[in-house]
Structures are given as C-alpha cells and as structure tokens.
C-alpha cells in the first residue's frame, strides 16, 4: 500500500456501499469487519473493499469523501470506474 491518504468504498451486507478515508486500507477493513470501525459498518458489516483512490493529504481525501458520500449508490460505483482525478478537481 502506498503512502498517503486513500478514499475507499466497501460493499456491505445488504448491498449498501460505505465510503471512508484511511492511510491503511487493509487495517481499516479489518477494523470495520471486527466491529471496531464506523457506526454504520457495525450495523452493516462489510463484505469486501470495492476500490480506492489515493490523495496527497488528509484534507483532499476528506473533501472527496464528503462529496462522494452525498452521491447515490450508482454514482459511487461510477466513481470507481472514472479517471483517478479527485472529484473536486472537475
């Protein structure tokens, strides 16, 4: 895993999608899966990491996360297929 911050998407039980940021996606997934992650993933356990995108710093990752969380599920999934430019730079 590369250095820096990552915005990631998880597929959760029931088909929902969760977005979060971290510096270590594998560690964060284990935390979510064990019930020590976000409140949402305690109620909707994660099944897998759908994908991620790297950001140069926490601030840019947080801005992208905020924007992505406001999108419907289909747009979140489209984000995975889009070019790697941060959403706020478009």
């Amino acid at each position: 895993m590369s250095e820096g911050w990552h915005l990631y998407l998880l597929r959760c039980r029931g088909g929902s999608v969760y977005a979060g940021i971290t510096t270590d996606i594998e560690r964060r997934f284990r935390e979510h899966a064990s019930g020590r992650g976000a409140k949402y993933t305690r109620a909707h356990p994660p099944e897998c990491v759908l994908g991620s995108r790297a950001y140069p710093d926490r601030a840019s990752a947080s801005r992208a996360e905020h924007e992505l969380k406001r999108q419907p599920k289909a747009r979140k999934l489209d984000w995975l297929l889009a070019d790697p430019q941060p959403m706020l730079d478009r």
Side-chain angles (χ1 to χ4, degrees), residues 1-6 8 21-28 58:
M1 185 62 46
S2 64
E3 302 268 334
W5 286 85
H6 301 269
Y8 62 91
I21 63 170
T22 187
T23 57
D24 184 337
I25 296 170
E26 293 173 10
R27 174 190 50 80
R28 191 66 177 137
R58 183 178 182 149

Side-chain angles (χ1 to χ4, degrees), residues 15-77:
S16 63
V17 174
Y18 174 82
I21 63 170
T22 187
T23 57
D24 184 337
I25 296 170
E26 293 173 10
R27 174 190 50 80
R28 191 66 177 137
F29 179 79
R30 287 191 308 270
E31 290 173 353
H32 286 300
S34 71
R36 293 179 289 123
K39 183 177 181 180
Y40 183 86
T41 58
R42 285 193 296 272
H44 305 87
E47 296 176 338
C48 66
V49 176
L50 292 173
S52 67
R53 188 166 298 155
Y55 289 84
D57 52 49
R58 183 178 182 149
S60 59
S62 290
R63 284 190 300 271
E65 175 192 26
H66 175 75
E67 183 65 28
L68 188 62
K69 283 187 171 186
R70 298 175 64 208
Q71 303 301 318
K73 181 181 176 181
R75 292 280 310 266
K76 290 174 185 169
L77 297 176

